[in-house]
Amino acid sequence: MLIVLKPNVSKEEIDHIVDKIRSLKLEPHVSTGVQRTIITVIGDEDIIREQPLEAIAGVESVKTILKPFKLVSSETQPDRSVIRVNGIEIGGKNIVIIAGPCSVEGEREVVEHAQMVKESGGHIFRAGAFKPRTSPYSFQGFGVQGLKFLAKAKAETGLPIVTEVMDPRDVGVVAEHVDILQIGTRNMQNFNLLKEVGRIDKPVLLKRGMSATVNEFLMSAEYILSQGNRKVVLCPRGIRTFEDITRNTLDAGVVPVIKGLSHLPVLCDPSHAMGLKDYVPAAAYAFIAAGADGVMVEAHPRPEDAHSDGQQTIDAKTLVAMIDRIRKIARALDRDLP
Ligand code: PEP
Ligand code: MN
């Protein structure tokens, strides 16, 4: 249920409404927008339906939320969410570029890779310390040691860092070392992991499950927000279909769909969507043209030496050219890429 407050509502009136909802053993989530403050009430709607809420000072109207996802829904928060990481805004006017290798490859290597991303014009560095590999015999990542290498890459370049967390027990240590925690496609419905990242105060990049519907994707984001963490970025990254000529099928069409349904920023991954380096820039342009707030691409100074996903990894020259073209597309869409 949504309680829409009057434009001139006072802090005391908001506190009173929040106390009233809590006294009914329901959970209030206050969203303060530019125009309006809205309180989303989570819990058994029958309890609240009996209450004459419109009679309380400061309340303008009371509405039922029709969507199964409530905190994620644009009904709850009409203004778009902007998530700030070290001065970079995800979901604002500017397009954000995240780039880096699939995996952390060593201390010296990760610093070199972050420098390459910085020099190419990327805003955030990516590299996996914990790697979810299809085969147990493939390289599994450097783990906690890799997190320390990532912290060094940030100290040397100033770029904020995103890395994947696979296990709820690692959320604390990953959050200590990096700026954004990634939940991978295979873990989109690992509900214990979603709840754990919901309890921290760091942004989460939530990848779409490779076989997940948009509703399932948004319900997974709802898990994180329901625990208190509202800093979620949605990441379409291709889905599995009958088509096998590319690693996945580019799901650019979901970008406007998700942006219509939710206030959360959308930052897409064309590398895992296509699976082959030659197609990555075109897929990035499609995502941006569809309204994405940014892209995350796998990039490496020597893709042939990459420890994982080398076939879909672009080199520095391609990254520079891709960013330049994305800037042109951004400007055509009244956005920018600094
Ligand atoms: C990755 O970003 O390296 C990754 C493993 O992504 P996904 O979970 O989308 O496969
Ligand atoms: Mn990868």
Side-chain angles (χ1 to χ4, degrees):
M1 182 161 286
L2 284 183
I3 307 178
V4 182
L5 305 184
K6 291 191 171 147
N8 55 354
V9 65
S10 68
K11 170 142 190 340
E12 290 69 33
E13 286 169 336
I14 297 176
D15 290 346
H16 174 69
I17 302 163
V18 164
D19 289 345
K20 174 102 192 158
I21 294 161
R22 290 216 176 101
S23 73
L24 297 166
K25 304 260 178 304
L26 297 167
E27 210 186 303
H29 291 258
V30 181
S31 319
T32 313
V34 183
Q35 313 269 352
R36 278 276 196 279
T37 297
I38 293 176
I39 302 179
T40 309
V41 183
I42 306 288
D44 182 355
E45 297 220 331
D46 288 341
I47 301 174
I48 206 159
R49 222 167 270 140
E50 314 285 307
Q51 304 290 320
L53 294 171
E54 266 120 342
I56 305 177
V59 173
E60 183 172 280
S61 59
V62 178
K63 293 186 185 136
T64 304
I65 311 174
L66 301 171
K67 296 281 185 296
F69 40 87
K70 305 201 183 294
L71 299 170
V72 158
S73 168
S74 40
E75 290 180 89
T76 304
Q77 187 187 306
D79 299 324
R80 299 218 62 82
S81 285
V82 177
I83 292 165
R84 290 172 183 84
V85 200
N86 289 43
I88 296 160
E89 292 190 340
I90 308 177
K93 187 173 190 245
N94 293 341
I95 299 295
V96 173
I97 306 291
I98 304 179
C102 183
S103 315
V104 170
E105 300 186 355
E107 186 169 10
R108 199 170 30 81
E109 288 82 352
V110 88
V111 172
E112 182 203 350
H113 300 164
Q115 268 155 354
M116 179 201 93
V117 168
K118 187 173 185 183
E119 282 157 20
S120 305
H123 307 110
I124 299 175
F125 180 65
R126 67 144 286 148
F130 298 94
K131 291 308 302 177
R133 304 306 302 280
T134 302
S135 165
Y137 309 117
S138 302
F139 172 61
Q140 302 284 310
F142 278 95
V144 175
Q145 198 188 14
L147 298 174
K148 297 193 191 320
F149 299 160
L150 285 169
K152 174 133 197 246
K154 180 180 176 180
E156 299 271 329
T157 61
L159 290 183
I161 310 284
V162 56
T163 203
E164 178 165 351
V165 59
M166 289 166 55
D167 188 320
R169 293 168 297 187
D170 294 330
V171 168
V173 68
V174 175
E176 254 173 57
H177 289 85
V178 304
D179 304 280
I180 306 175
L181 283 77
Q182 174 176 323
I183 304 282
T185 192
R186 296 161 181 85
N187 275 313
M188 190 207 80
Q189 285 189 315
N190 180 338
F191 300 117
N192 287 334
L193 183 59
L194 297 175
K195 283 191 211 161
E196 205 60 41
V197 296
R199 296 190 195 108
I200 60 166
D201 186 28
K202 288 237 161 147
V204 176
L205 181 74
L206 177 65
K207 291 196 144 191
R208 180 183 186 181
M210 60 182 91
S211 306
T213 65
V214 168
N215 275 316
E216 288 164 343
F217 187 23
L218 295 178
M219 287 307 281
S220 289
E222 185 79 12
Y223 258 92
I224 303 173
L225 271 77
S226 72
Q227 300 302 309
N229 187 355
R230 293 182 175 218
K231 297 178 194 160
V232 174
V233 181
L234 299 168
C235 183
R237 44 77 73 202
I239 48 171
R240 278 207 169 164
T241 67
F242 58 83
E243 183 58 77
D244 60 4
I245 199 138
T246 49
R247 179 170 176 176
N248 286 290
T249 295
L250 187 75
D251 49 350
V254 301
V255 177
V257 174
I258 295 173
K259 288 204 131 187
L261 293 170
S262 173
H263 54 84
L264 295 174
V266 180
L267 188 146
C268 303
D269 173 348
S271 304
H272 290 84
M274 302 306 277
L276 286 169
K277 67 176 175 24
D278 288 351
Y279 306 137
V280 170
Y285 308 147
F287 273 138
I288 296 296
D293 298 301
V295 286
M296 176 164 84
V297 291
E298 288 182 336
H300 190 290
R302 294 164 303 280
E304 65 181 57
D305 296 334
H307 280 30
S308 52
D309 281 350
Q311 75 289 350
Q312 65 189 33
T313 299
I314 59 172
D315 59 16
K317 194 164 154 253
T318 310
L319 179 61
V320 170
M322 186 194 80
I323 293 176
D324 193 45
R325 183 155 294 188
I326 291 178
R327 184 174 297 111
K328 294 188 178 118
I329 298 170
R331 289 186 179 149
L333 297 167
D334 284 332
R335 304 188 75 164
D336 209 350
L337 195 165

